[in-house]
Amino acid sequence: MCSRSAREIGDPKAVEALINALKDEEYYVRLEAATALGQIGDAKALEPLIEDMNDDNQIVREKAAKAIGEICGLGDSCGINEVELLLEDLKDQSKGVRWRASDALVKSVPLLWALVSTLSDKDPDIKMRAAKSLGEIGDERALEPLKSF
């Protein structure tokens, strides 16, 4: 219900106001803005959300990664810059950021090699999530790496 409402509200003025809110001093304003932008799904928010992936607050980075994945999942909005950023975020110190980046990559494009590389993550939960994501994609090329997992 919330995402449908956000998409309906998603006129340019609302999107611009939310993009501006990504620069707010308060972290909770930034994370709520990232969440709303992901729900609206406007590709104009991708670049500012990418900037938010460098936020000092781990939760803001998680919400930005999730929002990027939601926007990319709505169509062909993601380009190489967004994908490269999400690949870098697979190495973030925060487990939550790595988790969200993995989800975002699955939604944007089936980057098997990126998920396969995540099978060697130091955190067993992230490894399991990558294996699950590879299974959800259902591409036969993932079978061999999964056998050695």
Side-chain angles (χ1 to χ4, degrees):
M1 182 172 98
C2 183
S3 69
R4 180 177 294 161
S5 300
R7 283 198 186 100
E8 291 170 2
I9 294 171
D11 68 49
K13 290 180 185 177
V15 171
E16 288 304 317
L18 289 166
I19 288 172
N20 289 334
L22 291 174
K23 299 173 188 154
D24 197 274
E25 290 180 14
E26 300 294 337
Y27 81 92
Y28 56 87
V29 173
R30 297 191 307 272
L31 72 90
E32 291 296 335
T35 300
L37 286 166
Q39 292 171 342
I40 291 170
D42 192 318
K44 288 183 281 189
L46 282 172
E47 189 172 324
L49 286 165
I50 288 171
E51 292 173 19
D52 253 19
M53 292 302 300
N54 294 316
D55 198 281
D56 290 336
N57 187 288
Q58 142 188 347
I59 300 170
V60 174
R61 294 193 315 270
E62 289 176 27
K63 297 295 184 179
K66 181 178 181 187
I68 291 168
E70 289 173 339
I71 293 169
C72 292
L74 293 174
D76 296 327
S77 302
C78 277
I80 192 67
N81 292 338
E82 291 82 5
V83 170
E84 286 178 356
L85 176 73
L86 291 168
L87 289 172
E88 271 304 305
D89 290 333
L90 291 175
K91 301 171 192 164
D92 193 278
Q93 65 184 0
S94 164
K95 174 180 175 178
V97 173
R98 294 192 315 270
W99 188 292
R100 296 293 186 192
S102 176
D103 280 349
L105 283 166
V106 170
K107 290 178 185 175
S108 60
V109 288
L111 292 174
L112 293 176
W113 57 270
L115 288 170
V116 166
S117 71
T118 307
L119 291 173
S120 62
D121 192 275
K122 62 186 175 202
D123 188 301
D125 290 336
I126 297 301
K127 290 180 184 182
M128 188 60 67
R129 181 66 186 150
K132 183 177 188 256
S133 296
L134 287 167
E136 288 172 0
I137 291 171
D139 193 309
E140 290 180 11
R141 294 174 291 178
L143 290 176
E144 197 59 39
L146 285 170
K147 286 179 185 176
S148 61
F149 173 66

